[in-house]
Amino acid sequence: MKFNKAYSGLINKLPPSLVNEAWKRLISRKKSPMTAENASAVNLLVESFLRHEVNRYQKKLKYQRKSWPIVKNSLYNTDMPDQETQTRDTDPICDHEEEINCRVKKELDSLSLQLLKYNEKTFGSLMQKITKQLEEQVNANNKLRSEIEQQKIQLHKVEKLLASLSINK
């Protein structure tokens, strides 16, 4: 794999694995594949292809890091500075710890609310059915307790009556 040195600015913005993959894709395309000589020469098609790959890679990085917008990252720029400049321009995360914690808490609150709504939609009718059955069982138990109390009162009355009859004999 030998891209022309004219593309080193674009190639340096990609990890080596993507450079290798880009080379393979460029010379093994189904529609009009390029020869290795054509691909390694200065060619508008090669430059356009590499710019496209860099843009895809940067969009992927941006998507992966979109939940951390506080950390400045110049990888999203087309003209990428060297690593030393990036490190110098990046604010340390610890300075923003409170803000990050606040954002994480808000996100957790939002997710827990979504989970509650989902559970209510998913299990709401089941819970209503179970609650109704439970209430019916509680009502039946209360009815049986009441009947038992009534039977105890009657038994107590009968015992008194039998006691008074045995005394009178």
PDB file of all heavy atoms in Angstrom, residues 69-87:
ATOM      1  N   PRO A  69     -19.493  16.733  25.379  1.00  0.00           N
ATOM      2  CA  PRO A  69     -19.242  17.944  24.602  1.00  0.00           C
ATOM      3  C   PRO A  69     -18.320  18.934  25.291  1.00  0.00           C
ATOM      4  O   PRO A  69     -17.838  19.863  24.673  1.00  0.00           O
ATOM      5  CB  PRO A  69     -20.641  18.534  24.438  1.00  0.00           C
ATOM      6  CG  PRO A  69     -21.386  18.041  25.618  1.00  0.00           C
ATOM      7  CD  PRO A  69     -20.826  16.666  25.899  1.00  0.00           C
ATOM      8  N   ILE A  70     -18.061  18.765  26.579  1.00  0.00           N
ATOM      9  CA  ILE A  70     -17.249  19.718  27.318  1.00  0.00           C
ATOM     10  C   ILE A  70     -15.788  19.614  26.919  1.00  0.00           C
ATOM     11  O   ILE A  70     -15.069  20.595  26.850  1.00  0.00           O
ATOM     12  CB  ILE A  70     -17.411  19.461  28.824  1.00  0.00           C
ATOM     13  CG1 ILE A  70     -18.855  19.685  29.210  1.00  0.00           C
ATOM     14  CG2 ILE A  70     -16.511  20.345  29.644  1.00  0.00           C
ATOM     15  CD1 ILE A  70     -19.242  19.018  30.476  1.00  0.00           C
ATOM     16  N   VAL A  71     -15.357  18.400  26.649  1.00  0.00           N
ATOM     17  CA  VAL A  71     -13.956  18.177  26.312  1.00  0.00           C
ATOM     18  C   VAL A  71     -13.723  18.664  24.885  1.00  0.00           C
ATOM     19  O   VAL A  71     -14.304  18.157  23.948  1.00  0.00           O
ATOM     20  CB  VAL A  71     -13.599  16.681  26.412  1.00  0.00           C
ATOM     21  CG1 VAL A  71     -12.157  16.459  26.047  1.00  0.00           C
ATOM     22  CG2 VAL A  71     -13.894  16.176  27.799  1.00  0.00           C
ATOM     23  N   LYS A  72     -12.890  19.683  24.757  1.00  0.00           N
ATOM     24  CA  LYS A  72     -12.592  20.207  23.422  1.00  0.00           C
ATOM     25  C   LYS A  72     -11.756  19.171  22.685  1.00  0.00           C
ATOM     26  O   LYS A  72     -10.810  18.629  23.223  1.00  0.00           O
ATOM     27  CB  LYS A  72     -11.816  21.508  23.523  1.00  0.00           C
ATOM     28  CG  LYS A  72     -12.595  22.634  24.121  1.00  0.00           C
ATOM     29  CD  LYS A  72     -11.719  23.862  24.194  1.00  0.00           C
ATOM     30  CE  LYS A  72     -12.437  24.962  24.935  1.00  0.00           C
ATOM     31  NZ  LYS A  72     -11.568  26.095  25.166  1.00  0.00           N
ATOM     32  N   ASN A  73     -12.145  18.912  21.452  1.00  0.00           N
ATOM     33  CA  ASN A  73     -11.396  17.943  20.671  1.00  0.00           C
ATOM     34  C   ASN A  73     -11.348  18.438  19.242  1.00  0.00           C
ATOM     35  O   ASN A  73     -12.362  18.532  18.589  1.00  0.00           O
ATOM     36  CB  ASN A  73     -12.061  16.569  20.756  1.00  0.00           C
ATOM     37  CG  ASN A  73     -11.155  15.504  20.215  1.00  0.00           C
ATOM     38  OD1 ASN A  73     -10.286  15.774  19.413  1.00  0.00           O
ATOM     39  ND2 ASN A  73     -11.344  14.288  20.655  1.00  0.00           N
ATOM     40  N   SER A  74     -10.194  18.753  18.774  1.00  0.00           N
ATOM     41  CA  SER A  74     -10.070  19.312  17.434  1.00  0.00           C
ATOM     42  C   SER A  74     -10.002  18.234  16.353  1.00  0.00           C
ATOM     43  O   SER A  74      -9.708  18.521  15.217  1.00  0.00           O
ATOM     44  CB  SER A  74      -8.843  20.206  17.364  1.00  0.00           C
ATOM     45  OG  SER A  74      -7.719  19.511  17.824  1.00  0.00           O
ATOM     46  N   LEU A  75     -10.306  16.987  16.704  1.00  0.00           N
ATOM     47  CA  LEU A  75     -10.346  15.940  15.685  1.00  0.00           C
ATOM     48  C   LEU A  75     -11.444  16.190  14.668  1.00  0.00           C
ATOM     49  O   LEU A  75     -11.417  15.664  13.573  1.00  0.00           O
ATOM     50  CB  LEU A  75     -10.587  14.569  16.342  1.00  0.00           C
ATOM     51  CG  LEU A  75      -9.416  13.954  17.080  1.00  0.00           C
ATOM     52  CD1 LEU A  75      -9.858  12.684  17.767  1.00  0.00           C
ATOM     53  CD2 LEU A  75      -8.285  13.667  16.144  1.00  0.00           C
ATOM     54  N   TYR A  76     -12.436  16.996  15.050  1.00  0.00           N
ATOM     55  CA  TYR A  76     -13.564  17.234  14.160  1.00  0.00           C
ATOM     56  C   TYR A  76     -13.212  18.219  13.047  1.00  0.00           C
ATOM     57  O   TYR A  76     -13.905  18.323  12.072  1.00  0.00           O
ATOM     58  CB  TYR A  76     -14.759  17.768  14.941  1.00  0.00           C
ATOM     59  CG  TYR A  76     -15.092  16.931  16.149  1.00  0.00           C
ATOM     60  CD1 TYR A  76     -15.417  17.518  17.357  1.00  0.00           C
ATOM     61  CD2 TYR A  76     -15.066  15.547  16.086  1.00  0.00           C
ATOM     62  CE1 TYR A  76     -15.716  16.751  18.462  1.00  0.00           C
ATOM     63  CE2 TYR A  76     -15.357  14.777  17.184  1.00  0.00           C
ATOM     64  CZ  TYR A  76     -15.684  15.381  18.369  1.00  0.00           C
ATOM     65  OH  TYR A  76     -15.979  14.630  19.462  1.00  0.00           O
ATOM     66  N   ASN A  77     -12.158  18.980  13.215  1.00  0.00           N
ATOM     67  CA  ASN A  77     -11.768  19.951  12.190  1.00  0.00           C
ATOM     68  C   ASN A  77     -11.109  19.227  11.033  1.00  0.00           C
ATOM     69  O   ASN A  77     -10.449  18.203  11.194  1.00  0.00           O
ATOM     70  CB  ASN A  77     -10.783  20.970  12.766  1.00  0.00           C
ATOM     71  CG  ASN A  77     -11.387  21.764  13.897  1.00  0.00           C
ATOM     72  OD1 ASN A  77     -12.599  21.900  13.962  1.00  0.00           O
ATOM     73  ND2 ASN A  77     -10.559  22.286  14.768  1.00  0.00           N
ATOM     74  N   THR A  78     -11.255  19.788   9.841  1.00  0.00           N
ATOM     75  CA  THR A  78     -10.612  19.191   8.677  1.00  0.00           C
ATOM     76  C   THR A  78      -9.108  19.353   8.776  1.00  0.00           C
ATOM     77  O   THR A  78      -8.359  18.457   8.463  1.00  0.00           O
ATOM     78  CB  THR A  78     -11.134  19.854   7.391  1.00  0.00           C
ATOM     79  OG1 THR A  78     -12.554  19.779   7.407  1.00  0.00           O
ATOM     80  CG2 THR A  78     -10.619  19.146   6.171  1.00  0.00           C
ATOM     81  N   ASP A  79      -8.636  20.524   9.220  1.00  0.00           N
ATOM     82  CA  ASP A  79      -7.210  20.746   9.413  1.00  0.00           C
ATOM     83  C   ASP A  79      -6.856  20.376  10.840  1.00  0.00           C
ATOM     84  O   ASP A  79      -7.053  21.154  11.762  1.00  0.00           O
ATOM     85  CB  ASP A  79      -6.849  22.217   9.151  1.00  0.00           C
ATOM     86  CG  ASP A  79      -7.191  22.605   7.728  1.00  0.00           C
ATOM     87  OD1 ASP A  79      -6.995  21.767   6.834  1.00  0.00           O
ATOM     88  OD2 ASP A  79      -7.660  23.739   7.528  1.00  0.00           O
ATOM     89  N   MET A  80      -6.356  19.180  11.027  1.00  0.00           N
ATOM     90  CA  MET A  80      -6.114  18.659  12.364  1.00  0.00           C
ATOM     91  C   MET A  80      -4.724  19.049  12.842  1.00  0.00           C
ATOM     92  O   MET A  80      -3.731  18.734  12.191  1.00  0.00           O
ATOM     93  CB  MET A  80      -6.241  17.138  12.331  1.00  0.00           C
ATOM     94  CG  MET A  80      -6.233  16.502  13.664  1.00  0.00           C
ATOM     95  SD  MET A  80      -6.668  14.786  13.461  1.00  0.00           S
ATOM     96  CE  MET A  80      -5.454  14.058  14.488  1.00  0.00           C
ATOM     97  N   PRO A  81      -4.615  19.735  13.991  1.00  0.00           N
ATOM     98  CA  PRO A  81      -3.297  20.084  14.509  1.00  0.00           C
ATOM     99  C   PRO A  81      -2.604  18.848  15.076  1.00  0.00           C
ATOM    100  O   PRO A  81      -3.225  17.809  15.261  1.00  0.00           O
ATOM    101  CB  PRO A  81      -3.605  21.087  15.616  1.00  0.00           C
ATOM    102  CG  PRO A  81      -5.000  20.799  16.013  1.00  0.00           C
ATOM    103  CD  PRO A  81      -5.694  20.245  14.810  1.00  0.00           C
ATOM    104  N   ASP A  82      -1.329  18.986  15.370  1.00  0.00           N
ATOM    105  CA  ASP A  82      -0.599  17.849  15.917  1.00  0.00           C
ATOM    106  C   ASP A  82      -1.062  17.555  17.351  1.00  0.00           C
ATOM    107  O   ASP A  82      -1.782  18.320  17.963  1.00  0.00           O
ATOM    108  CB  ASP A  82       0.914  18.070  15.862  1.00  0.00           C
ATOM    109  CG  ASP A  82       1.343  19.288  16.672  1.00  0.00           C
ATOM    110  OD1 ASP A  82       0.508  19.835  17.404  1.00  0.00           O
ATOM    111  OD2 ASP A  82       2.515  19.676  16.563  1.00  0.00           O
ATOM    112  N   GLN A  83      -0.641  16.440  17.883  1.00  0.00           N
ATOM    113  CA  GLN A  83      -1.126  15.964  19.179  1.00  0.00           C
ATOM    114  C   GLN A  83      -0.746  16.918  20.310  1.00  0.00           C
ATOM    115  O   GLN A  83      -1.516  17.129  21.232  1.00  0.00           O
ATOM    116  CB  GLN A  83      -0.568  14.573  19.463  1.00  0.00           C
ATOM    117  CG  GLN A  83      -1.180  13.944  20.698  1.00  0.00           C
ATOM    118  CD  GLN A  83      -0.752  12.505  20.867  1.00  0.00           C
ATOM    119  OE1 GLN A  83       0.028  11.998  20.077  1.00  0.00           O
ATOM    120  NE2 GLN A  83      -1.250  11.857  21.868  1.00  0.00           N
ATOM    121  N   GLU A  84       0.423  17.544  20.233  1.00  0.00           N
ATOM    122  CA  GLU A  84       0.854  18.461  21.297  1.00  0.00           C
ATOM    123  C   GLU A  84      -0.087  19.655  21.380  1.00  0.00           C
ATOM    124  O   GLU A  84      -0.503  20.065  22.457  1.00  0.00           O
ATOM    125  CB  GLU A  84       2.283  18.922  21.027  1.00  0.00           C
ATOM    126  CG  GLU A  84       2.837  19.828  22.117  1.00  0.00           C
ATOM    127  CD  GLU A  84       4.258  20.273  21.802  1.00  0.00           C
ATOM    128  OE1 GLU A  84       5.040  19.461  21.269  1.00  0.00           O
ATOM    129  OE2 GLU A  84       4.566  21.435  22.083  1.00  0.00           O
ATOM    130  N   THR A  85      -0.471  20.201  20.241  1.00  0.00           N
ATOM    131  CA  THR A  85      -1.400  21.336  20.215  1.00  0.00           C
ATOM    132  C   THR A  85      -2.754  20.913  20.758  1.00  0.00           C
ATOM    133  O   THR A  85      -3.391  21.639  21.516  1.00  0.00           O
ATOM    134  CB  THR A  85      -1.563  21.867  18.772  1.00  0.00           C
ATOM    135  OG1 THR A  85      -0.281  22.124  18.237  1.00  0.00           O
ATOM    136  CG2 THR A  85      -2.408  23.124  18.752  1.00  0.00           C
ATOM    137  N   GLN A  86      -3.207  19.725  20.388  1.00  0.00           N
ATOM    138  CA  GLN A  86      -4.494  19.230  20.893  1.00  0.00           C
ATOM    139  C   GLN A  86      -4.462  19.119  22.406  1.00  0.00           C
ATOM    140  O   GLN A  86      -5.391  19.517  23.087  1.00  0.00           O
ATOM    141  CB  GLN A  86      -4.802  17.853  20.313  1.00  0.00           C
ATOM    142  CG  GLN A  86      -5.205  17.867  18.883  1.00  0.00           C
ATOM    143  CD  GLN A  86      -5.494  16.456  18.399  1.00  0.00           C
ATOM    144  OE1 GLN A  86      -5.473  15.515  19.179  1.00  0.00           O
ATOM    145  NE2 GLN A  86      -5.768  16.320  17.130  1.00  0.00           N
ATOM    146  N   THR A  87      -3.401  18.569  22.941  1.00  0.00           N
ATOM    147  CA  THR A  87      -3.289  18.382  24.386  1.00  0.00           C
ATOM    148  C   THR A  87      -3.269  19.722  25.099  1.00  0.00           C
ATOM    149  O   THR A  87      -3.897  19.891  26.139  1.00  0.00           O
ATOM    150  CB  THR A  87      -2.009  17.589  24.724  1.00  0.00           C
ATOM    151  OG1 THR A  87      -2.004  16.407  23.955  1.00  0.00           O
ATOM    152  CG2 THR A  87      -1.959  17.247  26.192  1.00  0.00           C
TER     153      THR A  87
END
